[in-house]
Amino acid sequence: MSNLEYLLKRKQRIAAWSDRWQAEAARFADSHRDLLPKRITNAQLYGLGNVVRSARRYADIERFIGNQVEKAKRAGRLDVQGYWNDLKDVLGKLRGEAQALLKTLCPAGAGSQDNLDELHRELIRLYVQHLIAHSLYWTPDQEDSGRRER
Amino acid sequence: MSEQSVQEVALRVALERAIARKSDEYDRRAREYADRLTSTKLDKTQVRGLETLASTTDKVSDITDWLKLRVGRDSKREGWAKDGVGRDLVTELEGLRRDARKIVDELRVGEGIALAYPVDPDLERQVHLRLCREFLKHLAAHFEYLKAEQER
């Protein structure tokens, strides 16, 4: 397979994966709906989005989530801690997805470790894009929910 | 030209015809959305932005994520969130997947093309993306026209 052919195939497979996993990310957001937007704020979600977009290593993403877990622990918010731990699990498991995808692209050695790391981060970026969009989509804004509570 | 290549060309031609037919069907519905959007504070740039995104992305989810974010951020409910127009549009675009499935299924069995070779498993998704582009193309054109009429 030529390099161009490989890149095109990779792009197409990732696009198909992203469209398939949008529903999965939406389910995650829906199952934690009660925490949005007060316990898990839009600012935290945007922060996560910035980190996954700029991260050069998976460890950077893990560190960000670890910090959120620590903050929630200090505040005694078990539910928020649970959210970040659940997300960490999901994002960690996407490595398996990256591995499977890579196997379909380069069946021989399934690519290098660098290729795998890069693909893992790319899948995380797409998953988080879906997660943020769906979290904001169904969440009443602060002002609105405040008005209703009054 | 090999038999497989001939079949692939025939499939492409049939596919283009089916998409064009659907596109014509979408025109009226797209106009209704355009009409609803003219009662919001959205301007041409924002609607054109959506059309541009649809024509450049390779993912349907990029289009719906874009809309979901804008609906979510519209706290004053004057733009994409006004009267549920953005939500309805997300549902509409997601629903085009059914049309895409039907087109691909019909191509597999009908149109006189007995496919002896496996079709791309990603075809349905790609047709879905094409249909979203067609729908939004009509919507953006109607919106610009209606907006210009409104401003006259």
Side-chain angles (χ1 to χ4, degrees), chain A residues 56-132:
Chain A
R56 295 197 169 270
R57 294 172 312 153
Y58 176 62
D60 296 338
I61 301 167
E62 261 190 330
R63 192 176 314 114
F64 174 86
I65 296 180
N67 286 340
Q68 302 303 318
V69 172
E70 277 308 309
K71 269 197 232 169
K73 205 188 231 172
R74 281 199 298 274
R77 298 286 338 177
L78 280 176
D79 46 1
V80 177
Q81 225 177 306
Y83 177 93
W84 291 108
N85 280 326
D86 290 349
L87 186 62
K88 193 175 149 189
D89 282 350
V90 172
L91 301 187
K93 281 178 190 156
L94 293 187
R95 192 166 188 87
E97 286 293 314
Q99 234 151 8
L101 213 56
L102 208 56
K103 221 177 252 179
T104 66
L105 292 166
C106 16
S112 68
Q113 195 63 28
D114 282 352
N115 283 349
L116 178 62
D117 289 344
E118 196 191 332
L119 187 56
H120 184 199
R121 287 197 308 277
E122 198 160 348
L123 299 190
I124 288 176
R125 274 196 289 276
L126 293 165
Y127 185 91
V128 169
Q129 175 194 308
H130 302 322
L131 177 70
I132 295 173

Side-chain angles (χ1 to χ4, degrees), chain A residues 6-23:
Chain A
Y6 168 79
L7 291 174
L8 284 173
K9 205 168 154 190
R10 184 182 189 275
K11 196 168 178 292
Q12 190 190 344
R13 295 276 158 86
I14 291 173
W17 184 92
S18 182
D19 279 357
R20 216 168 42 242
W21 274 70
Q22 188 188 34

Side-chain angles (χ1 to χ4, degrees), chain B residues 14-83:
Chain B
L15 197 60
E16 290 304 318
R17 276 196 197 134
I19 290 171
R21 262 198 304 269
K22 271 287 158 213
S23 179
D24 284 348
E25 276 177 40
Y26 293 160
D27 185 62
R28 192 186 45 82
R29 247 154 58 213
R31 194 197 145 95
E32 285 167 12
Y33 278 99
D35 201 25
R36 288 173 69 185
L37 286 173
T38 53
S39 67
T40 67
K41 282 199 170 169
L42 292 173
D43 61 24
K44 283 186 248 180
T45 327
Q46 285 149 304
V47 178
R48 214 181 284 159
L50 175 61
E51 187 201 4
T52 306
L53 168 76
S55 62
T56 51
T57 185
D58 58 350
K59 306 178 198 80
V60 175
S61 56
D62 276 351
I63 306 171
T64 47
D65 279 352
W66 188 96
L67 267 170
K68 284 177 177 183
L69 267 184
R70 270 136 195 95
V71 169
R73 284 177 185 160
D74 183 13
S75 54
K76 288 185 178 167
R77 311 276 189 265
E78 291 174 338
W80 291 105
K82 191 177 179 190
D83 300 326

